[in-house]
Amino acid sequence: MPPIRALNVAEKPSVAKSVAGILSRNQGLRVREGRSRYNKIYEFEYSIRGQRFEMMVTSVTGHLMELEFDERYKKWYSCDPGELYQAPVRKYVPEDKLDIKRTLQEEARRCQWLILWLDCDREGENIAFEVIEVCTEANRHLNIWRARFSALIDRDIHEAVQNLVRPNQLFADAVDSRQEIDLRIGASFTRFQTMLLRDAFNFNFTTDDKNLVLSYGPCQFPTLGFVVERYWEIQSHEPEEFWVINCSHNSDEGTATFSWGRGHLFDYTCAVIIYEMCVQEPTATVTKVRQQEKLKYPPYPLNTIELEKRASRYFRMSSEHTMKVAEELYQSGFISYPRTETDSFSERTDLRAIVEEQQGHPTWGSYARQLLDPGSGLWRNPSNGGHDDKAHPPIHPTKFSAGESGWSQDHHKLYELVVRHFLACVSQPAVGAETIVEIDIAGELFSGSGRVIISKNYLDVYRYETWGGSLLPTYAFGQQFIPTSLTLDSGVTRPPPLLSEADLLSCMDKAGIGTDATMHDHIKKLLDRFYATKDANTRFSPTNLGEALVMGYDDMGYELWKPYLRAMIEGDMKDVSMGIKAKNDVLASCLQQMKACFLDAKLNKAKLLEAMEIFFDRSNRSGTLEQNTVVGVVRRCTLCHQTDLVLKRRPDGNFMVGCLGYPQCRNVVWLPGSVAEATLTNNTCSSCVPGPVFLIQFKFRRHEIPPSFSADHLGCIGGCDETLKQLIEICGTGTRNVGGMPARGRGSTAPSGNNPPGNTRQNACIHCRQMGHASNDCPRAPQSGRPRPPSMTTANGESSIPCNSCGAPCPIRTANTANNRGRRFYSCQSQECNFFVWEDALYGRAARPTAAPIRANASTLGSASHGRGGHGQARGRGRRGGAHGPDVTFVSATGDPFPGRRCFSCGDPSHFANACPNRGM
């Protein structure tokens, strides 16, 4: 029977080399290059349960695939961050790993079996299914198996290959869920924070504000919350004085110190009264003498979190560096897999064999021999810590070493810690004799204790822990003596210390923030993002930036910086891995909850800005989110050809299409001023090139467009849309009210596009006195040749019409805004009225002036021949219909008159020089 060809895939090149070397016993092992020069292929023959195999062993380098948004949503300004909660995502092989993909597919085509040697945790299982997806694209008939092992040693590797199992889809689903949740939440909040704050403030900790990223991570932010909360606790602490009675007694056997049973009192008067009672009757009577055996137990078997905490506490090594060194020791075969939650050994583990390997060590070898000696009575089966991830045993030594030549000092320290910790686990607890003496002075109880260590046991090898002993003089029940000293001392309460790295890891572990494999990454991210600092004692303090961000979200009323939400997500991931919950159900519920938080945070962004202002100075730049809200990418910029044209909503509610390269590129496409809403669609224009040009769904304000036009229109800004061109001709490109804002001294004028229906007072039609339509849309409005509406002349000779609300005369004025310069209107001068109407709305379009053309590098619907008003007339030609009369007064954008202003070309006060009809003649 011909041998079966099996492709074996490990998670790292070093693991692939170790597995191949162990299985082949370094005999008949052939090595050849793959497509990737870092991932070699090892070939040898092997037998699994009597069946001959031709084994090919290669590797990936961690995750083979990445998760990202579709191309349209990848760029920061391509969409509103809130859209990222439902934007399409995809898993793909990145460019730098395509050679690994080609190697796997080429080898898979020639094989019948696929054996996966990825790390035996949820993350490793997810990578395994990435490998499966790539390999089955080339060969759908592969027989797929999983090797489960915990250490790169002969015993584990041979046992794993002889007992292959099927991959666990549930483990992979749990990681897929976490990746998608983290991507959507992290990207949305990171874009929101960065675009809102980066340009709005001067950050004094970086010289490159433009590339500053204010990241948000679902695990990173609660980790920051622990640091900030402890810091606030320290800052808010108010020292409070207290009083305590201290008692001591000297004898021939030594000095005994007795503690007051009440501890301490904050009331000075009460403390003084009690103290005086004791001084007046100072005789102490022994009321109890208790002697008992006291045990100090060895630690539980070592898991990842304990390894990081103890390395930080004993050696001041960061958790990130600890895991890096541990990973290198594991890949070299000296310790078991270092990412494990398990802190109890299974009954199948041969613990004595592990101890036997350490007998030859010059430092702890004698202790190992003593452990194995039945007559010493030192051996004790390790305690059960209560955690088992069902994937890996606790961290333990797998190979003897007295020190390797290539090891750093940290490699020596960490290997020694793992060995000593394991030897301590299988040792008897330390034994001590403790004596407690209680005395009575004037009715007040005091107690003292002493301890004598009888047998150190595990403390002989575990030099990182001590058990201090202090002798107590001998006392007998009923014995009386006069204290040598009896004092009333004062003290003050002290705040807790800053969190150390070990403390922070404990907080994260207790709250379920992150996993044993990722906690150190979250801590490192705080330091990389300038959210926190770590001092020489490994204690963390928040930076101004970190504190401001937590304060801003806290002021909003959200506890995004608290651990509860993330702990719930981690619990859901565990349920997915156990098959209790479905992946899609967890995704839907979690993202729905976080999207609601995100949308509320956007509405309350002022709280975030206020918190930042406490710590940082405002810059002269505005935050991107304060300038324009990006709706989405419309097309590639036709001017700079480097970035995209995007649909933006301006702060005044109007829409525009502009280049993301602003201010370097000022390309802009103006839209009709009557646009109320604009939504980007997935439809593309079939006419405009170069494409794609995405179509925009417009909704126009009904009262600002002619009746013959629909209020809903699917349009193209590429230059082919005649409807948009006509509406620009009719409506112009800006807001329809004067200056786009309420006039000073009176209410708002015409409704603005950013106000919802019913939120703005609407004027009655001046023709029929009815609500619901504008005067220029009234069916009773006078047509060409009909009599004009009633008008009157004011005392100074100005033309006017009666106000439709209060009846007062409304004088005619002339606007001086960029969009409506030279255009005349009537408005009521009363502060209680909002009456406003354009003159050309009453008498037809002929009276409307031509707006000034836009800059040469701006385009209107793809055509540079149109002016901003859409009329295409020469700049400075004035309005059609001749000059204004001498009784016309110009007004500013706010409606206030410009007294004494006149045209400097002809001296006429009715217009400015840029609208002079005599200019250019």
Side-chain angles (χ1 to χ4, degrees):
M1 185 175 179
I4 296 174
R5 295 177 63 86
L7 174 61
N8 297 257
V9 183
E11 190 164 321
K12 302 175 186 69
S14 59
V15 176
K17 182 179 180 180
S18 297
V19 168
I22 291 171
L23 292 180
S24 67
R25 293 183 169 85
N26 290 318
Q27 297 178 357
L29 180 64
R30 302 176 299 278
V31 184
R32 59 186 172 89
E33 298 293 327
R35 291 279 185 173
S36 169
R37 62 193 180 101
Y38 302 107
N39 304 83
K40 300 183 184 300
I41 303 171
Y42 304 88
E43 296 180 334
F44 55 92
E45 293 185 356
Y46 192 75
S47 177
I48 300 177
R49 297 187 179 274
Q51 172 67 49
R52 289 173 52 230
F53 278 79
E54 284 187 21
M55 305 286 269
M56 278 147 288
V57 182
T58 187
S59 65
V60 292
T61 50
H63 275 284
L64 182 60
M65 294 182 170
E66 293 180 2
L67 185 70
E68 70 167 11
F69 294 106
D70 276 1
E71 193 67 30
R72 180 178 165 189
Y73 297 90
K74 283 174 63 176
K75 295 183 179 179
W76 275 45
Y77 298 94
S78 62
C79 65
D80 185 292
E83 295 182 32
L84 298 178
Y85 286 91
Q86 61 269 357
V89 293
R90 66 187 182 97
K91 244 188 169 183
Y92 74 106
V93 179
E95 186 73 26
D96 62 337
K97 295 188 177 179
L98 287 178
D99 285 341
I100 299 176
K101 176 182 178 181
R102 295 187 187 103
T103 298
L104 293 177
Q105 292 187 333
E106 288 174 2
E107 299 301 323
R109 290 188 185 99
R110 303 188 292 120
C111 293
Q112 293 87 47
W113 278 34
L114 173 64
I115 302 176
L116 301 159
W117 292 84
L118 289 309
D119 291 345
C120 298
D121 54 11
R122 289 191 305 206
E123 208 74 30
E125 209 72 13
N126 189 262
I127 300 173
F129 276 88
E130 294 172 357
V131 173
I132 292 172
E133 182 178 335
V134 166
C135 291
T136 53
E137 285 180 8
N139 185 352
R140 295 184 295 107
H141 305 290
L142 286 170
N143 192 0
I144 302 170
W145 294 93
R146 181 77 159 93
R148 298 204 172 276
F149 60 101
S150 297
L152 291 171
I153 56 177
D154 291 11
R155 181 180 65 248
D156 273 32
I157 298 302
H158 284 290
E159 184 178 344
V161 77
Q162 296 296 333
N163 296 277
L164 298 172
V165 297
R166 297 296 183 185
N168 190 332
Q169 179 71 60
L170 294 176
F171 275 25
D173 285 347
V175 175
D176 282 338
S177 301
R178 179 187 55 76
Q179 287 179 341
E180 185 170 341
I181 289 170
D182 288 352
L183 174 66
R184 294 185 186 278
I185 296 174
S188 60
F189 274 95
T190 297
R191 293 186 189 183
F192 163 66
Q193 289 180 172
T194 305
M195 292 191 291
L196 175 67
L197 304 174
R198 181 172 61 191
D199 293 330
F201 295 92
N202 292 317
F203 295 104
N204 51 17
F205 53 82
T206 177
T207 57
D208 189 10
D209 285 359
K210 289 187 177 180
N211 293 323
L212 177 66
V213 175
L214 304 179
S215 68
Y216 177 98
C219 286
Q220 168 195 327
F221 219 65
T223 304
L224 173 62
F226 289 126
V227 176
V228 174
E229 190 170 32
R230 173 59 63 88
Y231 180 76
W232 283 349
E233 190 177 346
I234 295 171
Q235 294 298 309
S236 62
H237 176 77
E238 295 184 4
E240 191 173 359
E241 190 173 13
F242 61 82
W243 287 265
V244 60
I245 301 176
N246 291 313
C247 176
S248 65
H249 178 234
N250 296 335
S251 67
D252 294 339
E253 298 180 26
T255 301
T257 301
F258 296 91
S259 301
W260 190 17
R262 295 180 187 268
H264 55 256
L265 292 179
F266 291 99
D267 190 313
Y268 176 70
T269 303
C270 290
V272 169
I273 292 172
I274 296 174
Y275 175 68
E276 289 180 348
M277 289 168 53
C278 294
V279 170
Q280 290 173 4
E281 299 180 21
T283 302
T285 303
V286 178
T287 59
K288 183 183 291 185
V289 177
R290 184 170 72 251
Q291 294 181 333
Q292 60 184 11
E293 184 180 81
K294 198 76 172 179
L295 301 179
K296 182 176 176 63
Y297 287 92
Y300 292 125
L302 193 62
N303 62 18
T304 304
I305 303 302
E306 279 301 314
L307 175 66
E308 293 173 339
K309 286 164 60 176
R310 291 175 186 265
S312 173
R313 191 179 298 127
Y314 303 152
F315 315 132
R316 294 189 177 177
M317 288 172 60
S318 71
S319 54
E320 179 206 12
H321 185 60
T322 298
M323 292 310 299
K324 179 177 180 295
V325 174
E327 184 73 23
E328 291 169 356
L329 291 173
Y330 159 69
Q331 292 183 23
S332 302
F334 291 101
I335 66 172
S336 62
Y337 188 64
R339 291 182 172 87
T340 176
E341 298 175 9
T342 305
D343 54 10
S344 56
F345 285 102
S346 71
E347 295 179 355
R348 298 187 303 108
T349 306
D350 191 349
L351 301 176
R352 291 185 180 271
I354 300 173
V355 176
E356 286 172 358
E357 290 185 340
Q358 300 296 328
Q359 292 183 88
H361 197 277
T363 304
W364 54 77
S366 59
Y367 186 86
R369 292 191 292 272
Q370 188 181 357
L371 263 176
L372 296 172
D373 181 8
S376 68
L378 187 56
W379 181 276
R380 170 181 171 270
N381 287 329
S383 301
N384 187 332
H387 301 91
D388 188 356
D389 59 13
K390 306 296 183 184
H392 297 285
I395 303 169
H396 61 275
T398 55
K399 185 164 55 174
F400 169 80
S401 175
E404 304 298 311
S405 59
W407 281 7
S408 68
Q409 190 175 9
D410 290 338
H411 286 81
H412 285 281
K413 288 180 179 178
L414 211 62
Y415 179 74
E416 181 179 351
L417 172 61
V418 172
V419 175
R420 288 184 181 273
H421 194 101
F422 174 76
L423 295 176
C425 286
V426 295
S427 301
Q428 292 289 347
V431 181
E434 188 175 71
T435 302
I436 300 175
V437 175
E438 295 183 2
I439 62 175
D440 180 298
I441 303 176
E444 290 297 307
L445 296 180
F446 295 80
S447 65
S449 63
R451 183 188 305 117
V452 176
I453 297 178
I454 299 173
S455 178
K456 294 183 69 174
N457 292 334
Y458 89 92
L459 290 176
D460 283 329
V461 71
Y462 205 63
R463 61 185 181 87
Y464 313 107
E465 291 184 0
T466 59
W467 198 25
S470 59
L471 291 174
L472 189 71
T474 303
Y475 291 95
F477 176 78
Q479 177 182 342
Q480 291 186 333
F481 59 89
I482 301 297
T484 305
S485 69
L486 191 64
T487 59
L488 179 64
D489 300 318
S490 66
V492 292
T493 58
R494 298 184 180 277
L498 292 168
L499 288 178
S500 67
E501 187 152 4
D503 297 332
L504 188 54
L505 287 165
S506 295
C507 291
M508 296 172 70
D509 185 36
K510 185 177 180 180
I513 301 300
T515 65
D516 57 298
T518 61
M519 286 184 187
H520 63 280
D521 288 328
H522 303 316
I523 294 175
K524 181 177 181 294
K525 190 70 72 176
L526 295 186
L527 304 175
D528 292 344
R529 294 301 187 196
F530 306 104
Y531 290 170
T533 59
K534 184 169 68 170
D535 62 22
N537 295 319
T538 73
R539 296 196 176 273
F540 289 85
S541 300
T543 61
N544 288 342
L545 178 59
E547 186 178 359
L549 289 173
V550 171
M551 183 183 296
Y553 285 112
D554 188 55
D555 289 345
M556 291 180 192
Y558 309 126
E559 294 190 331
L560 295 174
W561 56 280
K562 290 284 191 178
Y564 319 126
L565 186 62
R566 184 61 194 190
M568 181 189 70
I569 294 175
E570 293 289 353
D572 286 342
M573 297 305 102
K574 189 171 184 179
D575 288 344
V576 171
S577 69
M578 297 171 65
I580 299 174
K581 292 184 179 179
K583 167 187 169 182
N584 291 335
D585 293 342
V586 168
L587 279 173
S589 62
C590 177
L591 293 176
Q592 181 181 12
Q593 182 180 10
M594 284 307 302
K595 184 178 181 180
C597 288
F598 175 80
L599 295 177
D600 283 346
K602 280 186 66 177
L603 291 176
N604 291 280
K605 63 184 180 183
K607 298 289 187 183
L608 204 52
L609 293 168
E610 290 170 3
M612 297 295 291
E613 286 177 342
I614 297 174
F615 299 94
F616 301 100
D617 295 330
R618 277 276 192 173
S619 71
N620 53 9
R621 311 179 303 271
S622 294
T624 306
L625 288 186
E626 292 184 290
Q627 297 175 14
N628 299 302
T629 301
V630 176
V631 178
V633 173
V634 180
R635 69 177 305 177
R636 198 70 172 168
C637 179
T638 55
L639 186 62
C640 69
H641 304 289
Q642 294 181 354
T643 55
D644 295 321
L645 287 175
V646 294
L647 177 64
K648 302 178 182 180
R649 184 164 192 158
R650 297 162 61 189
D652 61 4
N654 290 305
F655 290 86
M656 64 175 289
V657 175
C659 181
L660 280 177
Y662 178 86
Q664 286 76 23
C665 177
R666 297 177 178 269
N667 192 12
V668 64
V669 178
W670 297 105
L671 302 175
S674 54
V675 175
E677 292 293 337
T679 306
L680 202 62
T681 68
N682 290 319
N683 301 323
T684 57
C685 179
S686 57
S687 304
C688 294
V689 291
V693 181
F694 291 98
L695 301 183
I696 301 173
Q697 182 66 54
F698 293 101
K699 187 174 185 66
F700 301 107
R701 288 185 283 274
R702 174 76 267 178
H703 62 276
E704 293 188 13
I705 62 174
S708 57
F709 287 83
S710 172
D712 296 299
H713 175 66
L714 184 64
C716 174
I717 58 92
C720 65
D721 195 320
E722 292 298 327
T723 299
L724 290 184
K725 291 180 182 180
Q726 293 173 22
L727 285 175
I728 283 186
E729 281 281 333
I730 297 169
C731 306
T733 58
T735 180
R736 290 301 301 264
N737 60 356
V738 180
M741 60 188 72
R744 187 183 303 156
R746 51 188 176 88
S748 61
T749 55
S752 171
N754 61 332
N755 290 324
N759 198 36
T760 305
R761 178 177 173 181
Q762 188 175 9
N763 296 323
C765 171
I766 66 169
H767 306 298
C768 63
R769 304 296 181 184
Q770 300 296 316
M771 307 292 285
H773 61 266
S775 301
N776 58 335
D777 291 331
C778 181
R780 301 185 188 178
Q783 304 298 321
S784 177
R786 291 187 185 180
R788 294 185 177 184
S791 63
M792 62 179 71
T793 303
T794 60
N796 59 2
E798 290 182 336
S799 173
S800 67
I801 62 173
C803 174
N804 67 348
S805 297
C806 65
C810 301
I812 192 167
R813 296 181 174 185
T814 303
N816 190 36
T817 62
N819 289 348
N820 297 293
R821 183 171 289 115
R823 191 178 177 196
R824 305 202 296 178
F825 63 92
Y826 296 96
S827 65
C828 185
Q829 294 178 303
S830 172
Q831 295 186 9
E832 285 73 34
C833 294
N834 288 327
F835 176 74
F836 171 93
V837 66
W838 293 107
E839 182 190 41
D840 55 353
L842 295 177
Y843 307 122
R845 284 189 60 236
R848 181 170 182 182
T850 300
I854 60 172
R855 297 180 181 179
N857 63 345
S859 59
T860 303
L861 298 182
S863 174
S865 63
H866 292 284
R868 182 167 178 176
H871 300 295
Q873 296 201 353
R875 179 169 179 164
R877 293 294 294 173
R879 70 174 184 90
R880 305 176 203 172
H884 307 290
D887 56 339
V888 174
T889 303
F890 277 96
V891 295
S892 69
T894 60
D896 296 325
F898 280 116
R901 298 295 296 273
R902 60 182 62 242
C903 173
F904 70 82
S905 296
C906 66
D908 191 335
S910 65
H911 60 259
F912 290 113
N914 63 338
C916 181
N918 301 319
R919 186 175 181 183
M921 291 184 178

